[in-house]
Amino acid sequence: MLTALTKTGKKICLGFDYKKETLMSLRDKEEFVCPVCRETVLLRLGDQRIFHFAHKQSSQCRELYENETYEHLEGKRQLFQWLLKQNIGSVLEYYDRNIQQRPDIMFKYNGQRYALEYQCSTLPDKVLTKRTNTYLENGYTPLWVISSSHLHQKRKDLITLSNFQYSFLRTASSGKLYIPAYCPDKQLFQLVESITPFSIKNSFAHLSSLPIQTIELDAILEPQNDHPISQSSWNREVERYMFNWALHPRTEHKPFLQEIYNQGLNIFLFPPEIGLPVAHSVLIQTPPFIWQTYLFVDILAHKNTKDLITLKEVNTSYQKRVQKKQIIVRHLPQVKNATPFTAMIEYLELLVKINFLKKKGDRIFEVQKKILIPHTNREREEAKQNFLAQYENVQSR
């Protein structure tokens, strides 16, 4: 850890740039105690690791606050100094005795109190959720920043994200969903933005790199840029995923395959209007082609031209599928003001843009034309090409 108290109660914070000679002199004169447990701690001034305080081997507190890596110590030190340079009042390793939690950095900004946690190691979901909820219930805005070492970019526009990594998803006031990351070695923030999953773990996304020396806090709290997906690239990845999924089905896939077979559907002949990217699909763990198929077989397939679709019946279908665990909602501790059902609404609004539906009110849509099911590969290919031309025309407006 980077903070300790002297026996006289003076706080020593190694987040500031002390010279080694100064600290050696201080160590000769003072004894140090942990601000949390009040046990004696030792000031380590080795050449291989960052200067830090350490509990003795027998300490009960050691389990909670020791075993920090160099990356974690150096990362939170850099983030602390970054905030100070912006004249943002910050406390490194602030211990709140009322909630018995110690964020890496507590700071106040624009009238809000933030708890910044820089996370380098994996953390059980229950622990991360409990800490997050405790912060929220006690007037903190949690800001979890994941180590960049956890980000695994497959290529420029594709990334693999686990449930642990998705736990860092947060919402800007604009509604944008993103994951903040930091690399102390490169002194670089990274923002995973425009996350649009096509499978449980694989997503289209844009990875922005922002040097800590030139970026301010607002850019991390309120990212502004949109990064639209190429629909042709999306179609290519979704098709590849669907075909592999169908050719090598797992046990949990078989009920879905059986249901669409009973509905007279062939996964290899799906219409291009099923499995489209929408912004809030990131809130749903189930791949878009599956939850959009459920919406099709439950509602869209039974509607004719001029028929009406209400959000109430869409929500009924959605809730039924969630209860049956056919649609799985992501557990996202920091996302409190967005609902996964928004993805359903965005999908209907996308169908409006490509002229399959017409909006008749805030909660009512009218069918303009039915989604047609191809019967051959040739029909499917023609439908796909027609759809792409129409979709790209809509996106360019």
Side-chain angles (χ1 to χ4, degrees):
M1 62 186 189
L2 297 176
T3 56
L5 300 175
T6 66
K7 291 283 188 176
T8 57
K10 181 181 177 182
K11 184 177 180 181
I12 305 298
C13 175
L14 301 180
F16 298 105
D17 289 325
Y18 283 99
K19 292 183 178 180
K20 186 173 183 178
E21 294 77 14
T22 302
L23 292 174
M24 290 176 68
S25 175
L26 188 64
R27 185 173 61 179
D28 291 340
K29 299 174 184 176
E30 296 278 5
E31 290 186 43
F32 307 101
V33 297
C34 171
V36 177
C37 66
R38 305 291 172 165
E39 293 180 6
T40 299
V41 292
L42 306 174
L43 175 55
R44 304 291 193 188
L45 300 176
D47 295 323
Q48 300 300 316
R49 295 194 65 197
I50 185 173
F51 302 156
H52 66 284
F53 295 101
H55 285 81
K56 294 181 178 179
Q57 291 288 340
S58 59
S59 170
Q60 296 295 314
C61 193
R62 181 181 174 83
E63 294 295 320
L64 295 176
Y65 300 113
E66 294 298 319
N67 302 319
E68 291 181 278
T69 62
Y70 166 83
E71 180 187 23
H72 184 240
L73 288 167
E74 180 60 17
K76 65 183 178 181
R77 189 186 71 85
Q78 289 180 17
L79 293 171
F80 173 66
Q81 291 188 344
W82 171 67
L83 291 167
L84 292 183
K85 286 175 183 176
Q86 298 172 72
N87 297 315
I88 297 171
S90 307
V91 181
L92 186 63
E93 298 178 343
Y94 173 76
Y95 183 65
D96 188 326
R97 292 193 176 275
N98 292 325
I99 63 174
Q100 296 185 357
Q101 288 188 187
R102 186 181 68 166
D104 288 324
I105 304 169
M106 186 279 287
F107 66 92
K108 294 181 180 179
Y109 185 68
N110 287 344
Q112 293 186 62
R113 185 170 58 161
Y114 287 83
L116 189 158
E117 295 274 16
Y118 178 54
Q119 195 64 33
C120 298
S121 58
T122 55
L123 199 63
D125 178 68
K126 288 183 179 180
V127 175
L128 194 149
T129 298
K130 182 178 181 297
R131 286 190 195 173
T132 300
N133 289 339
T134 301
Y135 286 138
L136 290 167
E137 291 163 4
N138 288 273
Y140 291 91
T141 298
L143 174 56
W144 288 88
V145 178
I146 193 171
S147 164
S148 294
S149 63
H150 284 279
L151 300 181
H152 305 296
Q153 198 169 15
K154 299 181 73 172
R155 67 170 197 239
K156 184 179 179 181
D157 57 351
L158 284 183
I159 195 167
T160 299
L161 296 169
S162 66
N163 286 335
F164 169 69
Q165 291 152 349
Y166 270 119
S167 297
F168 292 78
L169 192 77
R170 68 190 317 272
T171 314
S173 61
S174 63
K176 294 181 186 297
L177 297 158
Y178 68 104
I179 295 172
Y182 185 66
C183 175
D185 285 344
K186 297 180 180 179
Q187 298 187 23
L188 200 68
F189 277 106
Q190 291 182 296
L191 299 181
V192 188
E193 302 175 272
S194 302
I195 305 169
T196 313
F198 60 87
S199 71
I200 292 176
K201 291 187 175 181
N202 295 313
S203 292
F204 278 82
H206 185 272
L207 196 62
S208 303
S209 295
L210 311 167
I212 195 171
Q213 296 88 348
T214 58
I215 206 69
E216 294 186 351
L217 178 60
D218 276 334
I220 305 304
L221 297 179
E222 300 291 343
Q224 300 294 322
N225 297 324
D226 286 317
H227 308 279
I229 300 170
S230 160
Q231 185 61 33
S232 57
S233 297
W234 170 268
N235 280 7
R236 186 166 54 251
E237 291 298 332
V238 170
E239 281 187 9
R240 183 182 300 155
Y241 173 71
M242 287 171 60
F243 290 174
N244 287 336
W245 195 89
L247 288 171
H248 309 285
R250 297 180 181 176
T251 302
E252 62 267 27
H253 299 164
K254 291 181 181 178
F256 173 80
L257 294 171
Q258 185 63 49
E259 178 169 355
I260 66 169
Y261 175 79
N262 293 340
Q263 295 285 339
L265 297 173
N266 180 342
I267 197 170
F268 299 105
L269 295 174
F270 263 33
E273 295 82 14
I274 293 178
L276 299 181
V278 294
H280 283 80
S281 62
V282 69
L283 304 183
I284 301 176
Q285 181 172 299
T286 304
F289 90 87
I290 295 179
W291 63 256
Q292 290 175 24
T293 297
Y294 287 140
L295 184 55
F296 175 77
V297 300
D298 288 350
I299 297 173
L300 297 173
H302 307 294
K303 301 290 186 177
N304 295 310
T305 304
K306 300 298 182 182
D307 285 350
L308 298 180
I309 298 171
T310 66
L311 287 187
K312 182 178 180 180
E313 61 184 317
V314 173
N315 189 50
T316 298
S317 162
Y318 165 73
Q319 294 296 342
K320 179 187 72 173
R321 297 290 183 173
V322 169
Q323 288 170 9
K324 292 182 177 179
K325 301 190 184 304
Q326 295 167 329
I327 294 178
I328 307 297
V329 173
R330 288 194 191 280
H331 178 61
L332 303 168
Q334 295 184 91
V335 180
K336 300 297 184 182
N337 298 320
T339 169
F341 185 66
T342 303
M344 302 281 168
I345 299 173
E346 289 171 338
Y347 177 55
L348 294 174
E349 291 177 341
L350 186 50
L351 293 180
V352 169
K353 288 183 179 180
I354 54 179
N355 302 318
F356 279 85
L357 301 178
K358 181 179 181 181
K359 207 163 186 181
K360 301 291 285 186
D362 288 341
R363 306 183 67 82
I364 300 174
F365 299 82
E366 181 183 86
V367 176
Q368 297 296 290
K369 58 182 178 180
K370 290 180 68 69
I371 294 176
L372 300 178
I373 305 300
H375 294 94
T376 64
N377 285 328
R378 181 176 178 178
E379 284 185 15
R380 186 182 188 282
E381 190 60 32
E382 289 176 355
K384 184 174 72 172
Q385 295 306 319
N386 291 336
F387 169 81
L388 282 174
Q390 184 179 15
Y391 186 91
E392 289 171 1
N393 183 48
V394 167
Q395 295 298 95
S396 64
R397 290 177 191 172

